[in-house]
Amino acid sequence: MTITISVVGVPAPGGSKRVFTNRKTGKPIVAPDCKRTKTWRECVYVDARDAIKSGPLLRGALALTVVFRMPRPRSPFHTGKKAGVLKPAAVSAAHIVKPDATKLLRSTEDALSMVVWADD
């Protein structure tokens, strides 16, 4: 069985957390480091749920293939002495700047858990 899910949006990393203290209660609050993580996970969740259409959760060994399409850097050119020269990240076919594939995959897998497959 093959399930194909296409999510439109800029992938956001998962896994990194930041901790800060609630000023009123003094208790620590743990939040994702990237503000876009929640939005990305919601997009993946909704598209996966629509693709599965309330089918049973998959169990056992699974294979997952993910392709992330990243936007081109905002400023592809160097400034100063190298003005007008493209940066390596702008000409590379591979995504060579943050975030790394491991954190992007972690965020996506977390969104798919309990929608497509049963969490271990």
Side-chain angles (χ1 to χ4, degrees):
M1 172 159 106
T2 302
I3 300 169
T4 302
I5 302 168
S6 296
V7 181
V8 177
V10 179
S16 298
K17 305 286 185 204
R18 61 186 170 94
V19 179
F20 54 94
T21 305
N22 184 325
R23 291 182 184 173
K24 293 181 180 177
T25 64
K27 294 183 179 182
I29 299 173
V30 180
D33 193 30
C34 179
K35 293 177 182 177
R36 297 184 336 263
T37 300
K38 183 177 179 183
T39 304
W40 171 249
R41 286 184 180 168
E42 287 173 356
C43 289
V44 172
Y45 171 84
V46 168
D47 290 350
R49 186 191 62 208
D50 292 345
I52 297 297
K53 298 198 182 359
S54 304
L57 294 178
L58 302 175
R59 297 185 184 280
L62 302 171
L64 176 67
T65 303
V66 180
V67 176
F68 294 111
R69 292 193 168 92
M70 303 301 288
R72 187 175 181 169
R74 286 187 200 163
S75 56
F77 295 100
H78 283 282
T79 57
K81 293 181 182 180
K82 292 185 176 182
V85 178
L86 280 173
K87 294 179 180 177
V91 296
S92 174
H95 183 72
I96 58 173
V97 295
K98 287 184 176 183
D100 63 12
T102 305
K103 291 199 176 190
L104 293 175
L105 186 59
R106 186 180 307 155
S107 177
T108 304
E109 286 177 336
D110 288 347
L112 292 172
S113 178
M114 299 310 291
V115 178
V116 177
W117 57 74
D119 195 4
D120 53 359

